Amino acid sequence: MDPGKYRPSSAHDAPYWTTNSGAPVWNNNSSLTVGARGPVLLEDYHLIEKLAQFDRERIPERVVHARGASAKGFFEVTHDISSLTCADFLRAPGVQTPVIVRFSTVIHERGSPETLRDPRGFAVKFYTREGNFDLVGNNMPVFFIRDGIKFPDMIHALKPNPKSHIQEDWRIADFFSHIPESMHMFTFLQDDVGIPLNYRHMEGFGVHTYTLVNKDGRVKYVKFHWKPTCGVKCLLEDEAVVVGGSNHSHATQDLYDSIAKGDYPEWALMIQIMDPADEHKFDFDPLDVTKTWPEDIFPLQPVGRMVLNKNPDNFFNENEQLAFCPALIVPGVGYSDDKMLQTRLFSYADTQRHRLGPNYLMLPANAPKCAHHNNHHDGFMNFMHRDEEVNYFPSRFDPVRHAEKYPGNPARISGQREKAIIDKENNFGQAGARWRSFDPARRERFVNRIAGMLAHPRCSQEVRRVWVGYLSQCDASLGQKVAAKLTANNAL
């Protein structure tokens, strides 16, 4: 018997109702009762199965990135970077790789409006011939914190108050008054780009520093950038109120409708490259996720284009069950010592195992599209067909052997075991430079948003003074303007 012939699928529907085990159901309208009026009998297996299945049809919501929309398409190499990486899917111009992408809001719940001020997730899964590569990023090139040990605290501060379940600015201001490196991220979050028009008009960034390794074993640091060909567009507060008031799923609908009518969203993949030998030449740490690399020193180089030309066949299967993890890389792509990236390598896979189960990578949206083999088996919801007798390695009865060795990062690691802050914090330089790059009206909007956050009645004077101090170190006039706004509102 073909083990895949009767795999559960709408393509193999029976002509009548059945239970999950395939038993025919002759009446799907009435419970089994004692007499026409009841009571209901526990032996009505079909009823119990139906209710139990319904009770469990919602999987746990993602802790972050709960609200999202996905789409499928392809990535095509347009420029030869084979001198930088031996990654097979980047081997030559013209090579295409299937992808699935999930866009999301970060903090708010699954049913929240898509017009809220919030970072957006931008996660791309490449189904390569050497396994899946998950490039998991955001629509902003930096992050709030540089060490993942603070991530749970940060999310707790940004999430609703655990007592009232209301997101409150005083909690955000309080937490980040202890995190000076967050100022750069706030110049994005509280800037106009804090509310994207939709997912199509949104940039994406790998955020972290990764490595590329070529066939000779030469290693380069790399940052990934997605640039929408239709441009970046955002919503100001009054526009967001109008858009969100008419459709709380406006970005999801825009993405779905655009693809349905053949107006396929497209992004160019660009990279920045740095030689690790040069990483100590700057006044910032290139592996610090709160920093960007100056484009005049590290220009953007084109790599390829991504086109999304197919909507999900089923939202639950290809959005809610879609799972990403930055630990999933392929030969030719590697990690760096970025502290945030290092913690995400564990955290993402761990949360998916909790949310979807230990076999979440067997789900069609997450499974590799290439041949694969290991001895992981059993566990909840394992549906892989296996009939081998040898489930250990090595074995003289198992023809599977190690893969051919591929180049990796040969860098030597040494140092004292310690819990420490990086040497080059430089928490305010890039934040100030970004604010000075805004036109006067954009600066004023930024000042109003920051001052509005700090004006929350439960925000203490100490927290406000710390923020004004941080902002003044970013730019003296920025601190003065925020202080003046707070004073005018009797908040300072």
Side-chain angles (χ1 to χ4, degrees), residues 122-374:
F122 194 121
V124 182
K125 187 183 295 289
F126 299 80
Y127 298 105
T128 87
R129 302 193 304 184
E130 297 179 308
N132 291 353
F133 170 39
D134 285 3
L135 184 53
V136 189
N138 287 335
N139 70 320
M140 298 172 184
V142 294
F143 202 56
F144 295 99
I145 55 176
R146 62 169 66 98
D147 193 319
I149 199 170
K150 297 304 299 174
F151 188 80
D153 302 290
M154 181 198 77
I155 296 301
H156 289 168
L158 290 167
K159 287 278 192 180
N161 185 321
K163 184 174 182 178
S164 64
H165 201 67
I166 299 171
Q167 188 184 39
E168 295 172 317
D169 284 340
W170 70 269
R171 303 176 73 250
I172 298 171
D174 174 38
F175 175 76
F176 287 106
S177 72
H178 300 276
I179 313 293
E181 71 262 29
S182 66
M183 292 299 106
H184 196 191
M185 180 63 169
F186 275 100
T187 66
F188 287 89
L189 182 62
Q190 298 288 18
D191 180 29
D192 294 350
V193 298
I195 309 177
L197 174 63
N198 51 49
Y199 296 131
R200 290 185 301 126
H201 292 87
M202 188 176 81
E203 290 181 291
F205 300 91
V207 182
H208 300 286
T209 299
Y210 290 83
T211 57
L212 294 179
V213 187
N214 71 5
K215 65 181 187 311
D216 299 320
R218 190 176 73 245
V219 178
K220 298 289 185 182
Y221 287 147
V222 62
K223 279 187 175 285
F224 295 100
H225 303 249
W226 294 105
K227 301 294 183 182
T229 57
C230 58
V232 176
K233 295 182 182 180
C234 306
L235 293 170
L236 298 183
E237 283 82 349
D238 56 344
E239 297 170 325
V241 170
V242 173
V243 172
S246 60
N247 183 358
H248 86 299
S249 300
H250 81 284
T252 295
Q253 182 163 6
D254 174 82
L255 179 67
Y256 191 94
D257 290 349
S258 296
I259 294 173
K261 69 182 181 183
D263 183 13
Y264 301 138
E266 182 174 333
W267 286 262
L269 178 62
M270 315 288 285
I271 58 173
Q272 289 178 288
I273 296 296
M274 180 188 297
D275 192 322
D278 297 333
E279 65 178 313
H280 301 297
K281 295 181 178 179
F282 310 99
D283 63 357
F284 65 95
D285 188 331
L287 305 188
D288 180 356
V289 77
T290 70
K291 304 294 187 294
T292 57
W293 294 358
E295 292 183 14
D296 57 338
I297 303 175
F298 305 100
L300 295 177
Q301 304 178 35
V303 176
R305 68 187 188 113
M306 179 173 68
V307 179
L308 300 182
N309 57 9
K310 192 174 189 306
N311 281 311
D313 297 309
N314 178 276
F315 181 85
F316 181 77
N317 291 345
E318 296 180 310
N319 186 76
E320 292 305 295
Q321 291 194 128
L322 184 58
F324 294 88
C325 176
L328 300 186
I329 56 174
V330 291
V333 180
Y335 317 125
S336 76
D337 294 337
D338 171 352
K339 290 185 179 184
M340 270 302 302
L341 175 59
Q342 291 283 318
T343 51
R344 290 179 75 205
L345 301 181
F346 163 77
S347 179
Y348 274 61
D350 187 56
T351 195
Q352 304 298 3
R353 293 185 186 105
H354 163 72
R355 194 173 68 88
L356 299 171
N359 293 304
Y360 75 96
L361 288 176
M362 289 186 185
L363 294 169
N366 303 323
K369 307 303 182 191
C370 60
H372 54 287
H373 177 92
N374 55 54

Side-chain angles (χ1 to χ4, degrees), residues 105-118:
T105 57
V106 174
I107 296 300
H108 303 282
E109 291 102 333
R110 192 156 51 191
S112 59
E114 293 178 308
T115 49
L116 297 177
R117 184 171 297 275
D118 196 7

